[in-house]
Amino acid sequence: MIDDAPSWGAALALWRFSPVVDLLLALATVGYLLLVRRCGAGDGPGWPWSRTAAFLVAVAALVVALDGPVAAFSDVLFWVHMVQHLMLIMIVPVLLVWAQPWRLVHTAGGPRARATVDRVVGSRVARWLTAPLLGLGLYAAVVILTHLTGFQQISATQPPIRAVELVLYLVSGYLLFLPLAGSEMSPWSPPHLLRFVLLALSMGVDTLTGVVLMLTPRPLASAYAAAHPGWGPSALADQEAAGAIMWFGGDVLMLVLMIAIAVRWGRARDQDQGFGTWIEGVRHRTLLGTAATDVDHVDDDESALRAYNEALAALHARTSGDKGDRP
């Protein structure tokens, strides 16, 4: 509870550190930069600076959202919580996808690290968890259920529940954007048209949630108003501001990402414009029984082509044998 209205200077100076989270972020940053350095030590082109910048900005955004003024006021003002929500479910996950840490480990790690990444990315569990439709469903469920029910009242008064909520934002956002927002190693590589449609549906979820919050005539989480007695907005005004941020802020962020996808779509090769490459990737995985991590370029690899032809030959021989056994 903050009893007195803070000045802007005092508000910006409010920081609360989370030792466990901060240690994990520091270790992840050091590990990422060491792998980047290893990439630059070889004869190859090195690791693109834009991916490193995306990772560092993601870490900075996490620190602000979890330690800075956003975190300090997220339990006091509903609209600040909504800013934190958008940072954790959209901005940070997209930046992490652009940073491509899985590809970095695969590129800079040794044979064991590459084998581990291939095994994880190619596993059935990873394929289920990162399925685009499942990601959209999880994203919609998390956004709607944590804001349009009584969950916010509980979350604002129970720190353990709030911690679970923040983790849900990060996980659901990452699972949604992993196959859609970039070219990170993933079991899925949807065509650009499908990515665009799924992002548009995600925008609809944000719009629905924001509009409902703005039009609901009663406060869904009165605990926020109780946390700033005498100086903050009323519970209903705070909720309306949170809804506006969810609606306009969420739609603007999603629209920026859709524009980026549209630009990549326009620059794609002719065979990548529609569903052809994606369908071929699905057929390839079905025949070989593996999850290709880079289906866009799988046919460029001679070993993959050889395995593909061998699988077709084995399938043909098996089919011929079955016909020969019939009376």
Side-chain angles (χ1 to χ4, degrees), residues 170-230:
L170 277 172
V171 172
S172 61
Y174 186 76
L175 291 179
L176 172 67
F177 295 117
L178 177 61
L180 303 180
S183 55
E184 169 67 301
M185 295 184 67
S186 169
W188 298 88
S189 182
H192 293 91
L193 176 60
L194 182 57
R195 299 185 189 202
F196 198 85
V197 170
L198 291 176
L199 290 175
L201 293 174
S202 303
M203 179 188 290
V205 173
D206 297 338
T207 300
L208 172 65
T209 304
V211 170
V212 171
L213 285 174
M214 293 178 66
L215 298 181
T216 300
R218 60 181 180 82
L220 298 176
S222 56
Y224 287 102
H228 54 75

Side-chain angles (χ1 to χ4, degrees), residues 124-260:
R124 182 173 299 180
V125 173
R127 182 164 178 80
W128 277 102
L129 288 176
T130 60
L133 289 179
L134 179 62
L136 175 60
L138 178 62
Y139 179 88
V142 169
V143 171
I144 293 174
L145 294 178
T146 60
H147 291 100
L148 302 185
T149 65
F151 182 87
Q152 275 305 310
Q153 178 68 17
I154 300 174
S155 176
T157 57
Q158 301 292 331
I161 301 299
R162 176 51 59 89
V164 172
E165 179 187 11
L166 300 183
V167 173
L168 278 176
Y169 290 157
L170 277 172
V171 172
S172 61
Y174 186 76
L175 291 179
L176 172 67
F177 295 117
L178 177 61
L180 303 180
S183 55
E184 169 67 301
M185 295 184 67
S186 169
W188 298 88
S189 182
H192 293 91
L193 176 60
L194 182 57
R195 299 185 189 202
F196 198 85
V197 170
L198 291 176
L199 290 175
L201 293 174
S202 303
M203 179 188 290
V205 173
D206 297 338
T207 300
L208 172 65
T209 304
V211 170
V212 171
L213 285 174
M214 293 178 66
L215 298 181
T216 300
R218 60 181 180 82
L220 298 176
S222 56
Y224 287 102
H228 54 75
W231 63 268
S234 66
L236 194 57
D238 194 14
Q239 181 172 291
E240 292 173 352
I245 291 173
M246 183 68 194
W247 180 9
F248 295 106
D251 284 6
V252 167
L253 290 174
M254 198 70 74
L255 182 60
V256 170
L257 185 56
M258 291 172 67
I259 292 174

